[in-house]
Amino acid sequence: MSEAYTVKDIGDRVRKERKAQGMTQSQLADLCGVGLSFVSNLENGKPTLEAGKMLRVVNTLGLDLVLRKRGE
């Protein structure tokens, strides 16, 4: 499990998984029902993203986003 502390970390993980699945940004955007620019901004760590859309992308790639209290 890789931990993410910033939006950039999440974007890097999304990019890595998208490429591992052999998808283009455009294909991922279509599967998630989001715009290509959203996927690009997410992968580039743009901090003003909509959480709902981000979760859609993460879930589409089969990733889990887990929140836990530090130190647990």
Side-chain angles (χ1 to χ4, degrees):
M1 176 170 67
S2 60
E3 295 188 12
Y5 297 99
T6 67
V7 177
K8 175 99 172 79
D9 294 341
I10 295 170
D12 289 344
R13 183 66 175 108
V14 165
R15 176 183 289 116
K16 181 179 176 181
E17 186 61 32
R18 174 185 58 78
K19 287 183 175 186
Q21 293 186 27
M23 271 190 270
T24 65
Q25 286 183 336
S26 182
Q27 290 169 324
L28 178 58
D30 288 345
L31 279 173
C32 299
V34 300
L36 173 59
S37 62
F38 181 85
V39 172
S40 177
N41 288 338
L42 174 59
E43 289 188 2
N44 287 301
K46 185 176 179 183
T48 57
L49 293 173
E50 294 178 49
K53 286 183 180 180
M54 180 189 64
L55 290 171
R56 233 183 298 164
V57 171
V58 168
N59 289 328
T60 296
L61 288 170
L63 300 171
D64 291 321
L65 184 62
V66 178
L67 299 176
R68 63 178 173 79
K69 189 172 182 174
R70 287 185 204 124
E72 290 183 352

